Amino acid sequence: MASVMEDPTLERHFKGHKDAVTCADFNPNRKQLASGSADKSLMIWNLAPKGRAFRFVGHQDVITGVQFSPSGSLVATSSKDRTVRLWTPSMKGESTVFKAHTAAVRSAAFSYDGQRLVTASDDKSIKVWSVHRQCFIYSLNQHTNWVRCARFSPDGRLIASCGDDRSVRLWDTTTKHCINCFTDYGGSATFVDFNSSGTCIAASGADSSLKIWDLRTNKLIQHYQVHSAGINSFSFHPSNNYLVSGSSDSTVKILDLLEGRLIYTLHGHKGAVITVAFSREGDLFASGGADSQVLLWRTNFDSRSYQDVLQQHSRRSTPDPPPHLSDIYPRTAHLHQPQTTAIQVSPTVADTRSTDPHVIELGQAFHSTTLLNSKTNLTPTQASANGHYSNGLPARHVASSRVEGWMGGESAGRGGLTAGNQTGPDRGGKGRREEEEIAQTHPLEVLSGHPSSLDSTLRHIVQQLDILTQTVSVLEERLTLTEDKLKECLLHQSQILKDVRASEAWRRTDSEGTDGSPVHFT
């Protein structure tokens, strides 16, 4: 029996989400994997065998996109709650909220220098944000339906976007103009991305097609129809030689872009595969789906050529016939159909070094304190300023009990925190139980103090100013568009008047010519 070490292998599965996994991305430090879900939570998985997982809660609706910054110090998420959040993946669970979209936000992606963020939304717009200043910069508006995805090119000079208007658009980030539009899709365009060199873009569709264009010639160079249902996501291998795709047909497929053929079909999910992503080095890739699982795969196949892989499997399957010259160097783009002899992999988990990781809950302290203080008509700032929460306990005392619960570590990874042991004559069993209930009900935002009243007020003012700035920017942009349309109408009207006057002049000359009198031209 031939060795199968060159097949992609399933290393681990991560279970912790309570609903479909919608997006995933690897940290550039090779130690973490982030995933977003329809359960409204962001999970940061530790790739170490016995590492803990962190759940960040803050979004009010489905998380639709996630991406680490190039440095790995920030995580951006988009959501159907119309917001974008920048998370600091630490124990504090802090996040900054970006608000400017007026409908569900479908994707969020960093520029390759980490200075900007691009988002796509159901409000038919693409918006670009400053990461450092944490503010909205400008918007791109030419899509006529929901925008599903937007990505920066590696050099940051272009943005690619796609949406339900069945188009893939290319934008110049300097002029803010759409410089190209591809519209040959039979259904919604679901995902778009650049290859690592920035010479090509690929886009997938709800019609189960995947197309690749060469930006140097603006021509379609490859067209794949290997899935039996819509493609939800794909990812280029860093070498640009391979591409992984996930589909509603419950499969993950690996394409060899040099040979122009399907080489692997992976079966591991029960239900639609919604997201796939290669690691920055390409040695790993992840997939997430409707079964609420994140599967971690080891690539393996990128270490050998496709012909070597075929020879490796010659004893267990009939290899594909040698590719025709026109398949390797096509004169025009042609459809690639799936081969029945493509290698099918139905893996079992090879790495069982760890069970489901312990999950630490983070990131919802503001919502917790808001719920508590609403019962006594106190704002979180007032409660903190008064030194008490609505339950009558001092705010600093509740915080200290939570910290002690973390330091005790009795159940930090199992969904709640227990208060540390208290000593002293005034600490009865009832008091300990009350603190334990508080810590377990609100186990979030540990190790972070509450801001003072002045700091909170200033922060609120800054947030309001940011919102006003964003609103003014949107209004200015709409005014500019209105002015442009008005100019076009005026030019069109003036042209119509010129045509009318010219036709009247010709009619007069015709009538004067028939009377025999001389014709005068003015």
Side-chain angles (χ1 to χ4, degrees):
M1 184 71 178
S3 171
V4 295
M5 287 302 294
E6 302 308 318
D7 286 344
T9 54
L10 178 59
E11 291 226 328
R12 294 183 66 182
H13 55 73
F14 297 103
K15 294 181 180 179
H17 282 298
K18 302 173 184 177
D19 207 335
V21 178
T22 56
C23 48
D25 189 45
F26 284 90
N27 193 325
N29 67 10
R30 307 182 64 179
K31 297 180 180 180
Q32 293 176 320
L33 173 67
S35 61
S37 170
D39 65 9
K40 309 175 188 178
S41 70
L42 164 70
M43 297 287 292
I44 305 291
W45 309 94
N46 194 327
L47 300 184
K50 296 183 180 180
R52 289 179 174 178
F54 298 86
R55 177 182 285 114
F56 295 84
V57 181
H59 280 294
Q60 303 302 306
D61 208 334
V62 175
I63 294 179
T64 55
V66 64
Q67 192 176 83
F68 276 99
S69 64
S71 64
S73 59
L74 294 172
V75 180
T77 56
S78 58
S79 171
K80 286 186 177 181
D81 65 6
R82 305 182 182 183
T83 68
V84 177
R85 284 180 180 256
L86 276 185
W87 304 84
T88 303
S90 66
M91 293 291 288
K92 292 185 178 181
E94 297 175 341
S95 67
T96 301
V97 182
F98 291 175
K99 295 181 179 180
H101 284 291
T102 59
V105 188
R106 294 289 178 173
S107 75
F110 286 95
S111 59
Y112 279 65
D113 60 4
Q115 297 300 310
R116 290 172 294 168
L117 189 72
V118 62
T119 57
S121 170
D122 286 358
D123 62 11
K124 307 177 187 178
S125 74
I126 300 137
K127 296 189 185 298
V128 177
W129 314 74
S130 169
V131 175
H132 177 68
R133 298 184 324 192
Q134 297 184 351
C135 65
F136 167 77
I137 305 176
Y138 63 87
S139 183
L140 305 173
N141 302 281
Q142 281 193 26
H143 279 283
T144 59
N145 207 330
W146 296 353
V147 188
R148 293 286 184 176
C149 184
R151 290 289 188 271
F152 276 107
S153 62
D155 59 10
R157 295 188 298 175
L158 300 174
I159 290 175
S161 64
C162 66
D164 283 5
D165 58 2
R166 304 184 180 185
S167 71
V168 177
R169 291 182 179 271
L170 205 59
W171 309 81
D172 188 320
T173 58
T174 302
T175 64
K176 318 296 189 298
H177 291 159
C178 179
I179 59 176
N180 210 337
C181 181
F182 308 103
T183 57
D184 53 347
Y185 268 90
S188 299
T190 56
F191 198 86
V192 67
D193 202 2
F194 291 86
N195 65 352
S196 61
S197 62
T199 58
C200 296
I201 61 168
S204 59
D207 60 355
S208 73
S209 67
L210 188 142
K211 298 177 180 179
I212 302 176
W213 289 270
D214 190 326
L215 298 181
R216 296 163 293 188
T217 60
N218 285 331
K219 291 184 177 179
L220 179 68
I221 56 174
Q222 287 185 333
H223 178 195
Y224 295 92
Q225 196 89 30
V226 295
H227 284 285
S228 59
I231 300 174
N232 299 311
S233 176
F234 64 83
S235 178
F236 279 102
H237 188 272
S239 68
N240 294 331
N241 296 338
Y242 303 95
L243 183 144
V244 59
S245 60
S247 167
S248 296
D249 64 7
S250 306
T251 66
V252 175
K253 292 184 184 285
I254 310 292
L255 303 174
D256 186 322
L257 302 182
L258 295 182
E259 299 284 353
R261 64 179 67 234
L262 170 69
I263 56 174
Y264 288 106
T265 298
L266 309 180
H267 303 270
H269 286 280
K270 297 177 182 178
V273 181
I274 303 174
T275 181
V276 290
F278 272 114
S279 64
R280 300 300 195 274
E281 294 75 24
D283 57 331
L284 299 170
F285 63 96
S287 60
D291 56 4
S292 307
Q293 290 190 97
V294 180
L295 303 184
L296 181 67
W297 309 77
R298 184 162 296 279
T299 305
N300 295 329
F301 56 80
D302 61 344
S303 61
R304 286 191 177 187
S305 68
Y306 178 62
Q307 295 298 332
D308 292 338
V309 173
L310 284 179
Q311 292 176 7
Q312 193 85 354
H313 296 284
S314 60
R315 295 185 184 180
R316 72 172 190 179
S317 66
T318 303
D320 292 342
H324 191 271
L325 185 62
S326 62
D327 287 329
I328 303 177
Y329 302 103
R331 295 181 180 178
T332 59
H334 57 286
L335 183 64
H336 298 275
Q337 298 287 354
Q339 299 281 346
T340 57
T341 55
I343 299 168
Q344 303 280 331
V345 179
S346 299
T348 56
V349 178
D351 179 5
T352 56
R353 292 172 294 174
S354 62
T355 58
D356 295 341
H358 299 312
V359 178
I360 299 176
E361 310 280 348
L362 298 169
Q364 204 184 15
F366 175 78
H367 300 291
S368 300
T369 55
T370 301
L371 290 173
L372 279 169
N373 296 323
S374 64
K375 297 180 180 179
T376 55
N377 297 322
L378 286 177
T379 64
T381 303
Q382 291 170 336
S384 178
N386 294 337
H388 288 77
Y389 280 94
S390 61
N391 55 13
L393 291 175
R396 60 182 180 274
H397 188 70
V398 175
S400 66
S401 69
R402 292 180 183 175
V403 173
E404 288 170 351
W406 276 90
M407 298 301 291
E410 293 295 326
S411 60
R414 299 183 181 272
L417 299 176
T418 57
N421 294 328
Q422 303 289 334
T423 60
D426 59 339
R427 303 303 298 169
K430 182 178 180 181
R432 285 196 297 271
R433 286 196 299 273
E434 287 178 352
E435 286 189 10
E436 289 175 0
E437 290 176 357
I438 294 169
Q440 291 176 354
T441 305
H442 307 284
L444 313 176
E445 190 60 29
V446 183
L447 306 180
S448 62
H450 295 279
S452 66
S453 177
L454 179 60
D455 290 342
S456 178
T457 303
L458 291 175
R459 187 174 300 175
H460 179 71
I461 292 172
V462 171
Q463 290 176 351
Q464 294 300 318
L465 289 175
D466 287 341
I467 293 173
L468 288 174
T469 302
Q470 296 166 7
T471 304
V472 170
S473 300
V474 173
L475 291 175
E476 287 178 350
E477 186 171 356
R478 291 181 178 176
L479 181 60
T480 302
L481 292 173
T482 304
E483 289 175 351
D484 292 341
K485 291 181 179 179
L486 183 59
K487 289 179 182 178
E488 291 178 2
C489 292
L490 291 175
L491 289 174
H492 184 63
Q493 186 176 7
S494 63
Q495 185 63 40
I496 292 175
L497 290 175
K498 289 180 181 179
D499 294 341
V500 170
R501 289 173 182 172
S503 61
E504 290 178 351
W506 280 108
R507 283 200 298 271
R508 286 198 301 271
T509 56
D510 289 343
S511 61
E512 291 175 355
T514 55
D515 295 339
S517 56
V519 178
H520 300 279
F521 295 95
T522 59

